[in-house]
Amino acid sequence: VTIGSARVQLATMLYGAEKYEEAIAQYKEVIRIDPKNEIALFDYGASCKNLASIKQRAEMEKQDNNKKYVVDSTTYLPLLAEAASSFEQLRRVSAKYRNDYIVISEIANVYEVRKDAGKIQALIMELEALEEVYNKDKEYYRTMEGLYGRNKMFDKMKQAREKGSKL
């Protein structure tokens, strides 16, 4: 067992315990040592995204409790930028994940929250181009249905739902 793999194991345990800040620190160190570590890159992105979600929810709750409260997006947007960067790095360094619809949809989801329509559309186009690879995967169509729906592409959403329901 190498120090890097032991650190990945520790980070994975922290992630599983929802101790995202601690997991992030461990994954970051693994990536510093091994910038091509697929597990660390994916789980670092996921940890950043999960922590951002918790912080965003906390901000929304503050606003729900006090209508004058202005949501502080600086508590979660930098984490989303880190998540996108990690998933994008994973795609660059790994042939296995370059065209993985889950990784691409994770990036698209980050850009949805960040309201970056141009990047969302580009990623949707990439995912559409991968349909032939995933046309027997019901989850691919569920993912596409969600992306289309959240981006008000209702005709495509309906088509994805119909294709997925036939599998």
Side-chain angles (χ1 to χ4, degrees):
V1 175
T2 66
I3 293 172
S5 66
R7 199 178 283 270
V8 168
Q9 289 175 353
L10 171 60
T12 302
M13 288 183 351
L14 292 166
Y15 176 85
E18 298 182 5
K19 295 182 176 185
Y20 300 121
E21 289 179 3
E22 293 171 55
I24 286 168
Q26 295 299 320
Y27 287 128
K28 205 175 213 175
E29 184 60 18
V30 172
I31 294 166
R32 186 187 68 73
I33 295 166
D34 179 6
K36 294 182 179 184
N37 187 303
E38 295 172 350
I39 295 168
L41 286 166
F42 186 90
D43 289 352
Y44 175 72
S47 295
C48 288
K49 202 172 154 206
N50 287 339
L51 184 57
S53 177
I54 290 167
K55 290 180 179 262
Q56 183 183 23
R57 250 190 327 273
E59 286 297 306
M60 297 302 177
E61 285 176 18
K62 289 176 188 176
Q63 191 175 49
D64 287 346
N65 295 330
N66 176 2
K67 298 300 177 199
K68 292 181 181 180
Y69 181 79
V70 177
V71 170
D72 180 6
S73 61
T74 64
T75 63
Y76 59 89
L77 287 180
L79 285 163
L80 289 175
E82 282 289 308
S85 176
S86 186
F87 290 129
E88 288 166 346
Q89 182 176 344
L90 176 61
R91 289 187 71 203
R92 279 192 305 277
V93 302
S94 170
K96 176 181 172 184
Y97 289 102
R98 188 159 298 125
N99 292 318
D100 184 288
Y101 81 89
I102 294 170
V103 173
I104 298 169
S105 68
E106 290 289 337
I107 299 167
N109 183 249
V110 167
Y111 289 130
E112 286 174 321
V113 176
R114 293 176 59 96
K115 299 182 181 358
D116 190 332
K119 288 188 178 176
I120 296 165
Q121 291 306 314
L123 290 165
I124 287 174
M125 288 172 56
E126 277 191 63
L127 287 165
E128 289 171 340
L130 293 171
E131 182 174 7
E132 193 171 309
V133 174
Y134 292 111
N135 64 7
K136 297 194 181 355
D137 188 334
K138 188 174 192 163
E139 288 303 309
Y140 166 81
Y141 289 108
R142 284 190 52 206
T143 298
M144 294 306 293
E145 179 184 350
L147 266 172
Y148 289 141
R150 290 187 304 275
N151 290 282
K152 300 179 180 19
M153 302 167 81
F154 299 118
D155 288 343
K156 288 185 175 190
M157 180 185 84
K158 183 180 174 191
Q159 290 170 358
R161 182 183 313 127
E162 289 170 0
K163 288 177 182 179
S165 70
K166 292 177 184 172
L167 298 177

